[in-house]
Amino acid sequence: MQKDDDLEQALKKCAVGFDTSETVEEFAVQDGELRLVKRKVTRRDIPPDIKAVKMLLDGRQDIGELSDEELAAEREKLLKMLKEEDFD
């Protein structure tokens, strides 16, 4: 269940958007020692992902109430969405 919780948290993060930063450091040898010469920090704003919002809203249905056929159909639908996501 931990993986499911982690996946849901990641999906929620994508659904609402988030900020991230990337640090690039350059080192050089000075006086026989490796020293930091330059550090560049880049901040990026990742906008909300509408597909993640849709998946969260679709997932609100209680799975315990679905029949086996409905679960199979939902599985196929989600797999199709994931495949489409890979090609975008």
Side-chain angles (χ1 to χ4, degrees):
M1 281 299 201
Q2 179 62 29
K3 288 185 180 183
D4 290 341
D5 292 339
D6 291 345
L7 182 60
E8 184 176 351
Q9 290 302 318
L11 191 57
K12 286 179 181 179
K13 184 177 179 181
C14 287
V16 297
F18 59 96
D19 294 327
T20 186
S21 64
E22 178 182 337
T23 304
V24 177
E25 299 177 334
E26 291 182 23
F27 292 89
V29 178
Q30 295 176 346
D31 301 326
E33 292 184 30
L34 195 60
R35 295 182 188 245
L36 178 66
V37 178
K38 186 178 182 183
R39 177 180 291 149
K40 180 180 177 183
V41 178
T42 305
R43 294 186 48 89
R44 291 181 29 184
D45 178 41
I46 308 299
D49 183 352
I50 299 301
K51 289 182 181 180
V53 172
K54 182 175 180 351
M55 286 181 73
L56 283 171
L57 291 175
D58 288 345
R60 288 185 182 249
Q61 185 178 23
D62 187 12
I63 292 185
E65 296 176 0
L66 296 177
S67 69
D68 289 342
E69 293 81 20
E70 290 171 324
L71 281 173
E74 186 66 22
R75 178 180 179 270
E76 292 303 317
K77 178 179 138 190
L78 290 173
L79 287 173
K80 182 179 175 185
M81 287 174 60
L82 288 172
K83 285 180 185 177
E84 289 172 359
E85 213 30 61
D86 288 341
F87 293 113
D88 289 343

